[in-house]
């Protein structure tokens, strides 16, 4: 059974440290078959 993971990016700058770290995490989680969902909070402000 695949794990369900929600990623919430609270960083305000695109493609900086937080976004890079979360992208690497998401790729690793997908590689083992996890279901992923994500939200970039800065786009909702």
């Amino acid at each position: 059974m695949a794990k369900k993971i929600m990623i919430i990016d609270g960083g305000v700058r695109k493609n900086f440290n937080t976004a890079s770290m979360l992208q690497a995490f998401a790729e690793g989680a997908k590689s083992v078959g996890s279901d992923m969902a994500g939200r970039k909070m800065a786009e909702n402000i």
Side-chain angles (χ1 to χ4, degrees):
M1 178 176 207
K3 298 261 185 196
K4 294 182 179 182
I5 299 173
M6 168 74 100
I7 295 175
I8 301 172
D9 183 352
V12 295
R13 297 179 292 178
K14 289 184 177 183
N15 302 320
F16 278 83
N17 294 338
T18 303
S20 298
M21 177 190 65
L22 294 176
Q23 182 64 33
F25 176 81
E27 290 172 5
K30 286 179 185 177
S31 74
V32 296
S34 296
D35 290 332
M36 301 293 301
R39 165 113 25 223
K40 178 122 179 93
M41 298 307 292
E43 295 173 354
N44 297 320
I45 295 174

